[in-house]
Amino acid sequence: MSSTTPSPRVIAVVGPTAAGKSDLGVHLAQQLGGEVVNADSMQLYRGMDIGTAKLTLEERDDIPHHLLDIWDVTETASVAEYQRLARAEIDRLLAAGRTPVLVGGSGLYVRGAIDALEFPGTDPAVRARLEAELADLGSGALHARLATADPDAARAILPSNGRRVVRALEVIEITGRPFTANLPGHDSVYDTLQIGVDVERPELDARITARVDRMWDAGLVDEVRALEARGLREGRTASRALGYQQVLAALAGECTEQEARDETVRATKRFARRQDSWFRRDPRVRWLSGAAADRGELPERALTLVERAVTA
């Protein structure tokens, strides 16, 4: 491939929460004449700003960000719908000569945007039965069933995420195959460079704790209270978001605010481990250290990866 050919055409910045993906995405977009396309499933929701660590307008530094704030908190998330929207944005940016910089830690959303991924249909009868079981037995019992049927899927899905557990069990029943078997090989529909931001576990855990503290100080409880008035508690997806789920429990008197805060830290650390495991399974991800000691060098190292891809 000649050095005059703009490749890769799409950049994806991935990795666990609190690793520093958002800031790196802005920097790459600035340097590459690009725009950011969100791949964080919870940042798609309007009003969920503090608890999702959504960049402020100032932090976006005049770089356009797409697919933020597009759904009401009452809407149920759909990876297939996100795929449609994300590819439309990517195609539009490519046609305009801009570099799409996909940024986020929602692994299935990233794959939906850039990979040859088709989603199995749904069976209303199967879905209704599983949702009734979820209401009767709780997500933990269904997650245990999923762990037997598809251990890989169970490791990737939080036990508390009843909606995703139900979907995985539904796909298994409809297709007769493990949920993860319905994910194809790593075949991208775009010429993509995936950059993973790697932070060692002790430092990442400390960052997560500090981030949750900042969220509480910034008014997360008030944000959740305001969203509750707009239907958050009824939102099947948004109400399960980290931080929001815990604060809703506190507002309902099911726990103290401090207990909600502590559980948010614990749950986020568990989630970060699942995110890291997901992206580690993709051999295409090029990992760069996002540790504090290397943070100043991260942007230049990422640009070097892009330049190598261009001239490869």
Side-chain angles (χ1 to χ4, degrees):
M1 185 177 296
S2 72
S3 60
T4 58
T5 302
S7 173
R9 305 186 72 203
V10 178
I11 310 294
V13 181
V14 302
T17 188
K21 299 183 298 295
S22 297
D23 290 341
L24 179 59
V26 169
H27 178 82
L28 289 174
Q30 287 172 328
Q31 298 301 311
L32 299 172
E35 300 180 16
V36 170
V37 179
N38 169 52
D40 181 312
S41 62
M42 294 303 165
Q43 290 192 8
L44 292 158
Y45 285 102
R46 280 187 287 274
M48 293 177 64
D49 301 330
I50 297 171
T52 66
K54 198 177 292 176
L55 291 185
T56 65
L57 289 175
E58 183 179 5
E59 290 168 335
R60 296 174 204 175
D61 207 8
D62 294 327
I63 294 296
H65 281 58
H66 307 285
L67 300 189
L68 295 173
D69 308 316
I70 63 171
W71 292 336
D72 289 330
V73 292
T74 54
E75 294 186 54
T76 300
S78 163
V79 185
E81 174 64 8
Y82 170 79
Q83 180 185 63
R84 184 185 68 79
L85 295 170
R87 290 189 179 177
E89 288 293 345
I90 290 170
D91 292 343
R92 182 185 62 79
L93 290 170
L94 291 173
R98 305 286 286 171
T99 298
V101 182
L102 194 69
V103 180
S106 299
L108 195 56
Y109 282 63
V110 172
R111 291 208 62 190
I114 64 174
D115 281 352
L117 188 63
E118 295 184 6
F119 298 96
T122 186
D123 183 316
V126 173
R127 172 67 65 91
R129 174 169 48 77
L130 289 169
E131 288 181 345
E133 292 180 19
L134 176 66
D136 290 341
L137 304 176
S139 60
L142 267 66
H143 189 270
R145 187 189 307 171
L146 179 62
T148 300
D150 188 348
D152 287 340
R155 281 191 288 271
I157 299 173
L158 289 171
S160 61
N161 195 334
R163 185 188 62 83
R164 285 198 64 198
V165 172
V166 164
R167 175 57 176 161
L169 290 171
E170 179 191 23
V171 169
I172 291 170
E173 188 163 338
I174 291 172
T175 65
R177 299 187 301 167
F179 178 69
T180 47
N182 290 280
L183 296 177
H186 298 105
D187 300 318
S188 180
V189 298
Y190 298 103
D191 189 358
T192 305
L193 171 66
Q194 293 191 65
I195 300 173
V197 184
D198 182 26
V199 179
E200 292 294 324
R201 186 62 52 202
E203 182 179 341
L204 188 65
D205 284 350
R207 287 191 196 180
I208 288 170
T209 300
R211 172 180 279 191
V212 171
D213 287 343
R214 288 195 302 272
M215 288 175 176
W216 243 263
D217 293 344
L220 177 60
V221 174
D222 288 338
E223 179 174 276
V224 174
R225 189 178 285 113
L227 290 171
E228 184 181 20
R230 289 163 46 186
L232 174 62
R233 197 174 289 278
E234 289 71 48
R236 290 169 56 191
T237 304
S239 66
R240 310 301 294 178
L242 292 169
Y244 297 86
Q245 176 183 355
Q246 288 76 17
V247 173
L248 283 172
L251 293 177
E254 298 168 7
C255 64
T256 67
E257 189 177 313
Q258 184 60 51
E259 287 170 339
R261 189 172 184 159
D262 293 343
E263 178 55 28
T264 299
V265 172
R266 286 192 293 269
T268 305
K269 289 177 180 178
R270 291 194 298 268
F271 179 60
R273 285 164 171 76
R274 290 173 185 270
Q275 288 176 298
D276 189 70
S277 176
W278 173 282
F279 290 113
R280 295 284 177 187
R281 292 197 294 269
D282 191 333
R284 299 167 301 176
V285 177
R286 304 292 301 277
W287 292 94
L288 295 175
S289 173
D294 303 314
R295 217 163 186 176
E297 300 176 11
L298 177 61
E300 291 307 315
R301 288 179 176 173
L303 284 172
T304 298
L305 275 185
V306 175
E307 291 166 0
R308 287 175 180 169
V310 168
T311 58

